[in-house]
Amino acid sequence: TLLSETELWQLAFSVVSNWTGELVTDKTPASVTEAVLSLYSELAEHLVDVSALETAGDTLYGLIDTLPKGPRQRAEPSQALRKIQTVIDERRQLVPLVVALGDEMRRQSALDFGSQMSMAARLVSGHPEVADSERASVRAVLLDEYQDTGHSQRILLSSLFGRRTERAAASVAVTAVGDPIQSIYGWRGAEVGNILRFERDFPGATVIRLEQNYRSTGHILGAAAGLIDHNEDRLGKTLWSADEPGEKVQVLALWDGE
């Protein structure tokens, strides 16, 4: 069964509400559910095992208590450092709930989109024979909106179509379409770095820049480029238009929407 976001939340809330283990928190069940889902999703998206989460932050936690104080520092670690320890403590408490959610999903033979991608990525990256078998039935692949793919999707796609082996000598024509400037789904796991790493994941790839703009005038494109040039994670390109330059861009500073 493939769960929707709502169904996954309901399942996680049920796990939290019926939890009988130790949990010291002042958060509501709904807030704990959100925290559990966040950890569960991040683990799946980045192909990280729960065992790694259990020990994550141990070294930092210990260093906060044991590092010698610097000049003019108080003997006691700062509130900011203690807050980091608090976050680590809270995360440790949630690990059993994350495990319980995973167990319940397996009991119900259920997956969500993130765990589905994670399972597929682990399968093809860990078992080349599976990737070879799948690749053998494909001759051309179009990957649209590639800037909005996540880590597990990147591993899945590059493992399937970015490698060439003896068992699958025939190449697959791969075309990815995307624009790092238009990456807007970072809040749900998309990584703009995927498109920046495309040539590394797909050796021999040719980058074709679509630079002619048919919607905006030259002055608008110039103003937009002046802003975008400050972005660090981008592939360089120069937008241009065959139309007239048009009116110059005006900047208005307004107090509110009125």
Side-chain angles (χ1 to χ4, degrees):
T1 304
L2 185 61
L3 302 179
S4 66
E5 290 186 12
T6 300
E7 290 170 329
L8 177 61
W9 195 95
Q10 291 172 336
L11 180 59
F13 184 77
S14 175
V15 170
V16 170
S17 299
N18 295 305
W19 181 250
T20 57
E22 183 178 357
L23 180 63
V24 180
T25 181
D26 57 359
K27 295 181 178 179
T28 65
S31 296
V32 173
T33 299
E34 293 291 344
V36 169
L37 279 176
S38 177
L39 280 176
Y40 177 82
S41 299
E42 288 295 322
L43 288 173
E45 174 59 32
H46 293 92
L47 310 179
V48 176
D49 294 324
V50 176
S51 58
L53 176 63
E54 292 175 333
T55 58
D58 286 358
T59 302
L60 176 59
Y61 197 102
L63 286 174
I64 291 175
D65 286 328
T66 58
L67 280 177
K69 67 183 186 69
R72 289 178 294 190
Q73 261 188 334
R74 295 180 299 176
E76 180 70 13
S78 67
Q79 289 185 353
L81 292 175
R82 288 301 188 199
K83 187 175 181 180
I84 293 175
Q85 288 183 319
T86 299
V87 171
I88 295 174
D89 286 333
E90 291 178 348
R91 186 173 59 194
R92 286 171 175 168
Q93 286 197 91
L94 295 178
V95 169
L97 284 162
V98 174
V99 173
L101 174 59
D103 290 342
E104 183 61 22
M105 291 185 70
R106 282 187 289 274
R107 189 186 72 80
Q108 297 188 20
S109 298
L111 291 171
D112 68 304
F113 177 77
S115 57
Q116 183 184 46
M117 289 295 103
S118 175
M119 182 179 295
R122 289 175 184 270
L123 180 62
V124 298
S125 62
H127 300 275
E129 68 277 10
V130 176
D132 290 342
S133 176
E134 291 297 315
R135 189 189 302 110
S137 63
V138 177
R139 289 292 174 266
V141 177
L142 173 62
L143 309 175
D144 196 16
E145 303 292 355
Y146 197 76
Q147 79 279 352
D148 291 327
T149 55
H151 177 71
S152 60
Q153 290 173 303
R154 173 199 170 209
I155 298 300
L156 171 63
L157 295 170
S158 62
S159 296
L160 279 174
F161 308 118
R163 303 173 184 174
R164 194 181 293 184
T165 67
E166 293 181 0
R167 288 192 295 271
S171 61
V172 178
V174 178
T175 301
V177 181
D179 186 350
I181 296 172
Q182 298 185 48
S183 181
I184 59 174
Y185 289 107
W187 56 273
R188 71 175 188 188
E191 296 185 13
V192 67
N194 287 356
I195 195 170
L196 302 178
R197 289 187 288 262
F198 187 83
E199 291 176 89
R200 187 175 72 190
D201 291 339
F202 296 83
T206 299
V207 177
I208 300 175
R209 289 171 169 78
L210 305 179
E211 299 179 319
Q212 184 174 5
N213 186 288
Y214 297 92
R215 296 181 179 178
S216 304
T217 61
H219 284 310
I220 292 177
L221 294 178
L227 294 174
I228 294 170
D229 282 344
H230 294 283
N231 292 358
E232 295 181 357
D233 296 328
R234 61 185 297 265
L235 296 172
K237 64 179 180 181
T238 303
L239 296 177
W240 63 277
S241 172
D243 295 336
E244 295 296 324
E247 297 182 8
K248 290 186 177 181
V249 175
Q250 297 183 33
V251 178
L252 299 178
L254 305 175
W255 287 105
D256 54 42
E258 298 180 1

